[in-house]
Amino acid sequence: MVLTLPSTPGTLVLRADFTDDAAWATVQAVSREPSPDGFLADLWFVSDRAFADLTVTQVAATPYPAQHTFLFLVDHSTVRDPEMSLVVVDLYREPGRWFRVVPAKLWSVENNLSLANMDFHDFADNVAPDGVFRGFPT
């Protein structure tokens, strides 16, 4: 069977780490929280063991529905990181390019990439030295 990323009505958040169910539940909860201005990310969480332990490279090489130009990946680092930073994977312009984002800024990435207000590189080029996007410098 060929693994294919699922078609979802919202932006795909794919679970690749199955070591901590409580952390997965927390990632879902904090990712759904609105911004201070009330903005929300349109997310669709998929927890399917068929995707267990997928790496960014494997995700980028997996066939996907045309509506997905990027996705969020919950990997081992996400569930172990106190900030719970998710991986954002480009599936469109530079397939396989990635960066991490803290859940508090996930809405910004999702909203702007989904609406094509900004490009993937606008976020990826503005990460902190540790590779995590925590917002644009002021």
Side-chain angles (χ1 to χ4, degrees):
M1 182 173 90
V2 175
L3 193 62
T4 302
L5 296 177
S7 177
T8 57
T11 299
L12 176 60
V13 181
L14 187 64
R15 183 180 186 185
D17 182 282
F18 289 83
T19 62
D20 190 336
D21 290 338
W24 169 245
T26 301
V27 167
Q28 291 178 76
V30 298
S31 297
R32 288 184 175 118
E33 291 179 6
S35 75
D37 294 323
F39 292 104
L40 294 168
D42 181 17
L43 305 173
W44 194 265
F45 295 89
V46 172
S47 178
D48 181 340
R49 288 193 179 273
F51 300 106
D53 301 319
L54 278 183
T55 65
V56 170
T57 302
Q58 291 169 322
V59 167
T62 302
Y64 59 91
Q67 85 262 24
H68 293 313
T69 59
F70 69 98
L71 63 78
F72 297 102
L73 183 68
V74 176
D75 64 358
H76 186 71
S77 294
T78 305
V79 300
R80 297 290 172 246
D81 175 10
E83 287 187 299
M84 296 191 134
S85 62
L86 290 81
V87 181
V88 189
V89 183
D90 187 355
L91 300 173
Y92 182 63
R93 296 252 163 118
E94 297 178 66
R97 186 173 184 193
W98 63 276
F99 64 92
R100 290 188 170 277
V101 61
V102 294
K105 294 299 178 180
L106 190 133
W107 69 269
S108 177
V109 173
E110 191 281 329
N111 286 194
N112 285 294
L113 292 181
S114 292
L115 296 172
N117 287 340
M118 299 176 78
D119 291 323
F120 193 91
H121 70 85
D122 293 319
F123 292 97
D125 294 346
N126 282 286
V127 297
D130 63 358
V132 179
F133 181 78
R134 295 181 181 87
F136 291 104
T138 55

